[in-house]
Amino acid sequence: MPEAPTIDSGNTVWLLVSTALVLLMTPGLALFYGGLNRAKGVLNMMMMSFSAIGLISVLWWFYGFSVAFGSDVNGLWGDPGAYLGTKTFLAETDLWGATAENPSGIGVPLYVFMAFQMMFAVITVALISGAVSDRAKFAGWLLFAFGWATLVYFPVAHWVWGGGIIGADLHALDFAGGTAVHINAGAAALALALVLGKRLGWPREGMKPHNIPLVALGAGLLWFGWFGFNAGSELTVDSVAGLAFINTQLATAAAVLGWIVVEWIKDRRPTLVGASSGAVAGLVAITPACGFVAPWAAVLLGLVAGAVCALAISLKYRLGYDDSLDVVGVHFVGGWIGSLWLGLFATNSVNGAIGDVIGASDGLFYGGGLTQLGRQALAGLIVTVWSFAVAWVLAFGIEKTIGFRLRAEEEVGGIDIAEHAESGYDLSPAAGSAGGSAFAMAGLAGTKPAAAPAAAPAEPAAPAEPVDEKVAG
Amino acid sequence: MPEAPTIDSGNTVWLLVSTALVLLMTPGLALFYGGLNRAKGVLNMMMMSFSAIGLISVLWWFYGFSVAFGSDVNGLWGDPGAYLGTKTFLAETDLWGATAENPSGIGVPLYVFMAFQMMFAVITVALISGAVSDRAKFAGWLLFAFGWATLVYFPVAHWVWGGGIIGADLHALDFAGGTAVHINAGAAALALALVLGKRLGWPREGMKPHNIPLVALGAGLLWFGWFGFNAGSELTVDSVAGLAFINTQLATAAAVLGWIVVEWIKDRRPTLVGASSGAVAGLVAITPACGFVAPWAAVLLGLVAGAVCALAISLKYRLGYDDSLDVVGVHFVGGWIGSLWLGLFATNSVNGAIGDVIGASDGLFYGGGLTQLGRQALAGLIVTVWSFAVAWVLAFGIEKTIGFRLRAEEEVGGIDIAEHAESGYDLSPAAGSAGGSAFAMAGLAGTKPAAAPAAAPAEPAAPAEPVDEKVAG
Amino acid sequence: MPEAPTIDSGNTVWLLVSTALVLLMTPGLALFYGGLNRAKGVLNMMMMSFSAIGLISVLWWFYGFSVAFGSDVNGLWGDPGAYLGTKTFLAETDLWGATAENPSGIGVPLYVFMAFQMMFAVITVALISGAVSDRAKFAGWLLFAFGWATLVYFPVAHWVWGGGIIGADLHALDFAGGTAVHINAGAAALALALVLGKRLGWPREGMKPHNIPLVALGAGLLWFGWFGFNAGSELTVDSVAGLAFINTQLATAAAVLGWIVVEWIKDRRPTLVGASSGAVAGLVAITPACGFVAPWAAVLLGLVAGAVCALAISLKYRLGYDDSLDVVGVHFVGGWIGSLWLGLFATNSVNGAIGDVIGASDGLFYGGGLTQLGRQALAGLIVTVWSFAVAWVLAFGIEKTIGFRLRAEEEVGGIDIAEHAESGYDLSPAAGSAGGSAFAMAGLAGTKPAAAPAAAPAEPAAPAEPVDEKVAG
Amino acid sequence: MKLVTAVIKPYQLDAVKEALHALGVAGLTVSEVQGYGRQKGHTEVYRGAEYTVEFLPKIRVEVLTDELDVDKIVDAVVGAARTGKIGDGKVWVTAVEEVVRVRTGERGLDAL
Amino acid sequence: MKLVTAVIKPYQLDAVKEALHALGVAGLTVSEVQGYGRQKGHTEVYRGAEYTVEFLPKIRVEVLTDELDVDKIVDAVVGAARTGKIGDGKVWVTAVEEVVRVRTGERGLDAL
Amino acid sequence: MKLVTAVIKPYQLDAVKEALHALGVAGLTVSEVQGYGRQKGHTEVYRGAEYTVEFLPKIRVEVLTDELDVDKIVDAVVGAARTGKIGDGKVWVTAVEEVVRVRTGERGLDAL
Ligand SMILES: Nc1ncnc2c1ncn2[C@@H]1O[C@H](COP(=O)(O)OP(=O)(O)O)[C@@H](O)[C@H]1O
Ligand SMILES: Nc1ncnc2c1ncn2[C@@H]1O[C@H](COP(=O)(O)OP(=O)(O)O)[C@@H](O)[C@H]1O
Ligand SMILES: Nc1ncnc2c1ncn2[C@@H]1O[C@H](COP(=O)(O)OP(=O)(O)O)[C@@H](O)[C@H]1O
């Protein structure tokens, strides 16, 4: 390492690319969730993710990053003023991890690291939305997102990665977010689903995915972006980054197989929704483990996670909570499996940082005994309890004040219309064919009678009229 | 810097990746525009973008790059023969920016830089198409694209970045394309919309987006690719690239909030179309500024751009031009906001190149007075006038010669059928269910009676028959 | 080169990114194929790709990589035990290409190279599926994929790139997979189509694409990912990587033009399906040539490939085989064109490796005579024969044992329902509008009478009922 | 022979189907329609332009039946389709001169 | 009571709706149909295979009405739907024996 | 004047159209419907939850015709639509009091 602070262009490029990849995951999630949802709520579902990108990015820049990665105050949060958004960090020396002995840190500009971690905060919040499709007022969602990010994600990221209680004190392992992201979001999702209650008609009424190619597309984009999420979390370009990358691929591939095999046996048919869900389950489970286990253990983890999550999604019918798009069944369960897996298969032999840097011990099957398994379980428990409790209180408070649950008629009519005054599609069997969409063109979109002219052959009749005062808008 | 010309692998990787990211933006734009359009014109809308990739890439390689980046001839264009497509540039010394004193330049192979800039030319042309959906003959579009790229984009890129009048002489700032790309495309879009006239029935007839998930997907891909567009424009891996990256994210996130807040107040509902449009508006506005302002100024810019563009899109109803998908309201207006922003918030303190390399001065709020604001305004004006004028003449010429506007019956019947003999979707309420799409299978796709056989139970009837001579084709 | 083995972070980042890009190609292919297919089989079509990612990734890790890249045994395959999945390769010295004299090889961790090549194996298998849409039992497909990958792809990759007969002995050129990937998959696709036979009603019945925006989206993602496929195949960050990158862009752009011009002349209309297909044809053709020819030769290749493939897809009607989505017309034909192109335009002057490393000679037009053209033809022939023969035997064997072809009624009813118990879409003209999809909500999804309650106004009637034992699942 | 046609709210279809099932009606044909009447529509907004949607999704149910059962069927449909809110729809009866079952060629009541 | 059914060109629906509105018709039901007749279709081409699309999108409009108003309504519809070009469609009248308003159970004219 | 309505299996539409064509029928109107009857549906499974789909896609064909041709037309449709398997559908005939061709205003037989 040179004495003068210098940028490591390899590490920096890898982080820049990884950051872009992780950003893409949230639109990918929006498509995944949107396609799984009924058509009448697809836009609201996607809007919860897009609004999370908007809101959380700004919060993260303003104070979130400081709370998570500012110098540790008390093991619970970082100095909120450390990197306040009003300041600017572009000095030669503003490299992440820079210290007296190592003035270059990891050789990555602070803003690059801040942006990378920003995307994690964004998607963790967005993940929660899958539990409350079709029934959550949008204003309530925004308020919840603000509160939960502030009280839960930012601190928890500090506990796990910022020098807080879980990482530094408990020495629990979490390479890229099994506890901080997935268990965290899953626990909050459960609380939200419980407070908001079931969708009208659930489970009696069938609520099947409205656009499965969209689901598969979303899963594909998530898979792609997840390489930045996992392999990027090594923060440097080394063999561990390579290990995290291939483990991510192997566990995900194995989870696809694990899920569809269970479907084949249990439901007599493997499905594309299942393959897509299996991929996500595998990605979730390998997240905490990708840089800490050997490839064969990653394959095994994928098979187990795919199979177990394929069974876990039925729990909601058993226990009667409407976790609409299975955030609990996939992210909470998958996150737990991956975190515990480290207690079994983590080994210093694939990543020296386990012992040397984090002070964690090898997993059970590598002679580490039950120590690490206990730490992993405790870490998961702490996050589960805190996230669930705060989410429950926040949701309950919002419901009692501005109201969180949509009115029944609005829910029945469709949340897209009620909350966003939009509808997802205007297709028809005739769409694009001669005459185009008969309905769209025929005026089924409706008109203000006052505004309706007698249609001349040359000009199609008016299906809709921009209201003047609007237009003047 | 070493004496012997050497490739900087960090910079080169970053440019390679950025180039791929920017390429992806054009298909992303095609989806964004396609989804915003009515179903009967979705394919033509996307085809305008895809054909731009095909045509402009080849033109750029053949002479466009030379005109834009060849050694400056007269401040207006570069030596057209400099990098003619017939030549090959693979010598050790063919590194971009190589000079006697600095034989390695930025350490990036010439072809990598050429490819990176190629993608800018492609998407700038594609952006224009949003103004003329559903009514422009495809042949006319191709001719226009060829002419406008040659007479406007290639020279303007030279003016701004190639050592021409705007960058080198006027010392106006444009980090990644506020003037060269967005104001440029927006002005041309306006001219095109004026010459081609309104869609039949506009604005009386409602023309709502036909597939909003597609709009959001397109916005997501644009956002993702834009990191290459903006942060890649630094051309080297340094802290400014990191600044450009995080500013891109922050301004875009803020613009999403800005746009939906305006909708909430003005139309009583925030929409996903609005969130997606806000993202694009933020990306547009931060483009010229991303590497020249502090993060807090980027957040502010995003809020302003999102809010102003959300209002600007209503102008077309006021003034009565049919800028179908709001290229003017988003790209022209957003581009101007971002460019002027530099006159207010640009500061040498975040990027030394402002003063040292470009010879620009700080913005008003950094004590630079009105100098830079004036330069930015003048730069925008020059591009606006030239682009609008040439676009108008080109469009008018095409209309008067081969004809640009589609025939009324064809427009009413749908441009996809008329110009491309395709229709976007063949779904139906029964699609994929038992029996598949009733219509598709039942032969509503039609058959040449001559060809129609009596359908046997075992074999479904023939909805269509490849015409023999075609098939033989 | 340093004595101690060291990671080249530039090369490693480029390979990591390229690997992610190539992974994305398979979901992209799934969308491309899915959109081209009829609605009733879109899920099965996509499932064939997604299952290939799952299955082939694991096989590659376990023994495929060893067979392809293990030390050459007999020119036909590599030592299967070389990199067996049970082993771990994370030592300092586990860098790809490391030798005594060059302990760092290309400075890329072995797992990164393994992951990169893994993605090639995955997509090659997935490509084949386009030939047998709507009629192949899913179990049969999985078995075929397993067998073909093991007996054909793994060895052929060894022949071409692993030190086997084609590359090392025959000195045939294949930069990124013209023979190993496209000719290989195309030949297998033909065999599969012949053994499985025509879809019921083909060609009498029209089978038009059901979702063309999805086709264009898939093409866009393929184009994006292909930069990793081609430019990544240089394995190092140098000017040849830049050449491969820009050639990929130029040939693809030219192929888009080539294809739509042919359509314009032949069918009187250029189409978006054509532009998308042209892009894929160009990407296929440039794959083997991208790092070995000059840009102008790449443009020419693109024009030729686009035009020829646009004509080649009609062969199936002439010859009467149902290559449903034109794998032969695009990949087989395009692969051959690109491979032979090297015999005409390959030149050591753009890439010294041609002569020095691979021991190939310049193409005909560079004074190399017919030598290389002969080698290219022979290489293509070997792969064609082996792939076709093994695929035919495998398919025939599967048909005769567990059965490969779907039952007629099931095919007519739709393979998505029959094999996956899913249907792609649940939209309707009313989808998302007030009341949402009338049918979806009205219970056209059906209910078990036993389970059907009298619907109360407040609660919509039940369109479907999770079966209890399932739910208890 | 009669044809009973009902235009109802989408949600009520299932209840109507069950009610007819209970009466022993062997089959029925339904289709998506859109209705305009007293029931008011809703508003959509896209990029500041407001659209009023006046036509609402409804379901048409058609049942071929023997004259003797007409009243029972009409009452059953009206009962099952009623929510009491505006927009519940209409039920009407028309005369059918002949009915044939395609599969068997049976005519009249046997065709049902 | 009568049922007036019209199969018209999609664009004309709005004009027809307004014309009926002007006559004081309180409601109507429309649906998407496809028509085959003298009006010729168009051609589509996918990867070199040509398809002729013979069925064209039309809209079916149904209005239940008192016999007294039938002629006025038929004339209004025909007038509003006419473009004079082939494919304008048909309007036909059938007898309705009974009409019930689901919400109230009202019968006959009161049901409209 | 009569209206012949047929609810048939989607695949058979083309055969029916040709059969009517052969009889010199100038036009017809078709629409997508879903049918419930003796023919059983299928099952779908999403994330472990099973759905039974009872309604099957059918096509409704409507032909306005002169009484004299009714039998020919009914027989032609029944013949062309028959596959002999359950679910082939129904054909029924109703009386039409008046028909108008929108384009010309022609009435009665001239309107067809
Ligand atoms: N005169 C009519 N002819 C045909 N359909 C009608 C008529 N009036 C109403 N309808 C249908 O009945 C539906 C409900 O009618 P509406 O007036 O909204 O409520 P209600 O029947 O409760 O008074 C309408 O959406 C329309 O489909
Ligand atoms: N005999 C018929 N029975 C039912 N519908 C018909 C009949 N003839 C025509 N139609 C409908 O009327 C529409 C217009 O008929 P067409 O012959 O094309 O034009 P026109 O009515 O102007 O002569 C057709 O698309 C079809 O929907
Ligand atoms: N009573 C009925 N009223 C209206 N449509 C009916 C009736 N019975 C059957 N249908 C229609 O006919 C179709 C076929 O009937 P089904 O009983 O399944 O077979 P089949 O007619 O061969 O006995 C049904 O899907 C439905 O659309």
Side-chain angles (χ1 to χ4, degrees), chain E residues 7 34-39 58 85-90 92, chain F residues 25-29 62-64 101 103 112:
Chain E
V7 172
Q34 306 229 359
Y36 172 73
R38 287 168 186 70
Q39 184 185 7
K58 303 282 172 184
K85 300 219 189 68
I86 288 187
D88 277 353
K90 316 287 178 191
W92 65 86
Chain F
V25 170
L28 48 90
T29 299
E62 287 165 305
V63 186
L64 288 162
R101 181 196 305 275
R103 171 166 48 98
L112 299 185

Side-chain angles (χ1 to χ4, degrees), chain D residues 27-29 62 64 101 103, chain F residues 35-36 38-39 58 87 90:
Chain D
L28 48 90
T29 299
E62 287 165 304
L64 289 162
R101 181 196 305 274
R103 170 167 47 100
Chain F
Y36 172 72
R38 288 169 186 68
Q39 184 185 8
K58 303 283 173 184
K90 315 288 179 191

Side-chain angles (χ1 to χ4, degrees), chain C residues 2-204:
Chain C
E3 264 329 295
T6 49
I7 287 178
D8 178 310
S9 76
N11 293 352
T12 302
V13 172
W14 179 230
L15 260 269
L16 286 169
V17 175
S18 294
T19 306
L21 287 170
V22 183
L23 176 278
L24 185 63
M25 290 173 67
T26 302
L29 181 74
L31 294 162
F32 182 72
Y33 277 169
L36 283 172
N37 207 57
R38 290 177 296 178
K40 65 176 176 170
V42 58
L43 302 184
N44 169 259
M45 195 69 245
M46 298 182 73
M47 189 67 171
M48 287 195 277
S49 286
F50 274 77
S51 56
I53 310 180
L55 179 64
I56 307 302
S57 298
V58 174
L59 297 182
W60 183 259
W61 153 78
F62 195 60
Y63 64 83
F65 180 68
S66 301
V67 171
F69 292 96
S71 50
D72 182 57
V73 174
N74 49 15
L76 297 180
W77 58 78
D79 166 13
Y83 304 102
L84 211 58
T86 48
K87 304 181 188 169
T88 308
F89 302 92
L90 289 162
E92 282 271 299
T93 53
D94 287 323
L95 299 178
W96 187 248
T99 59
E101 324 71 74
N102 171 9
S104 300
I106 55 172
V108 174
L110 188 142
Y111 279 133
V112 176
F113 180 74
M114 182 194 282
F116 179 65
Q117 292 298 340
M118 177 188 289
M119 306 307 181
F120 283 62
V122 167
I123 194 166
T124 305
V125 171
L127 283 170
I128 301 170
S129 64
V132 294
S133 71
D134 290 338
R135 58 196 190 280
K137 281 194 193 156
F138 187 61
W141 164 254
L142 288 181
L143 206 59
F144 176 85
F146 164 70
W148 190 84
T150 304
L151 300 174
V152 181
Y153 185 80
F154 300 161
V156 169
H158 181 76
W159 303 349
V160 176
W161 297 311
I165 52 174
I166 291 180
D169 308 340
L170 179 59
H171 306 299
L173 294 166
D174 185 356
F175 195 82
T179 47
V181 175
H182 298 289
I183 292 178
N184 205 359
L190 180 58
L192 215 49
L194 291 175
V195 175
L196 281 179
K198 311 169 184 178
R199 284 167 292 179
L200 293 178
W202 186 89
R204 192 168 37 64

Side-chain angles (χ1 to χ4, degrees), chain B residues 429-455:
Chain B
S433 72
S437 163
F439 274 12
M441 301 182 59
L444 280 214
T447 63
K448 287 220 178 324

Side-chain angles (χ1 to χ4, degrees), chain A residues 426-434 436-437, chain B residues 34 37-46 210-211 214 413-418 420-428, chain C residues 34-37 39 208-217 271-273 425, chain E residues 42 44-46:
Chain A
D426 183 1
L427 307 170
S428 90
S433 71
S437 163
Chain B
N37 207 55
R38 291 178 295 180
K40 65 176 176 170
V42 58
L43 302 184
N44 170 258
M45 195 68 247
M46 298 181 74
H210 87 285
N211 190 337
L214 220 58
I415 191 168
D416 287 352
I417 295 297
H420 307 295
E422 291 178 302
S423 51
Y425 306 91
D426 183 1
L427 307 171
S428 90
Chain C
L36 283 172
N37 207 57
K208 55 190 243 191
H210 87 285
N211 190 337
I212 296 177
L214 219 58
V215 174
L217 164 60
T271 70
L272 182 57
V273 166
Y425 307 91
Chain E
H42 65 273
E44 298 183 10
V45 188
Y46 298 95

